Amino acid sequence: MKALFWVGVALLVLGVLSLVIPIPRSEHSGIQAGGIHMGVETHYDEKVSPFVSAVLILGGAGLMIAGKQKA
């Protein structure tokens, strides 16, 4: 069950990275009349909720433990 262990490692790494790396998001709002287009584009950097990060970390650790015990 090495695959289960490596899936756990991937989830663990994603969980740790989600704590420190923000996810970029852009939003565009504007109007268009005929051939004229006027708008504003806004960029946000949002971090994932700490609860989601904790679930990823704990799930990854659990899968790593389960993968090691089956081997």
Side-chain angles (χ1 to χ4, degrees):
M1 284 291 167
K2 288 187 177 186
L4 192 61
F5 177 79
W6 289 111
V7 169
V9 169
L11 280 177
L12 185 71
V13 169
L14 284 174
V16 171
L17 288 177
S18 69
L19 285 172
V20 293
I21 298 177
I23 298 172
R25 185 176 68 109
S26 62
E27 190 174 289
H28 182 77
S29 59
I31 58 170
Q32 185 173 0
I36 300 173
H37 179 75
M38 183 183 281
V40 175
E41 189 166 336
T42 309
H43 296 281
Y44 298 101
D45 288 331
E46 295 180 352
K47 288 191 178 180
V48 176
S49 169
F51 177 75
V52 174
S53 297
V55 168
L56 285 172
I57 292 170
L58 291 175
L63 286 176
M64 288 173 60
I65 292 169
K68 276 294 192 184
Q69 288 179 354
K70 299 235 179 183

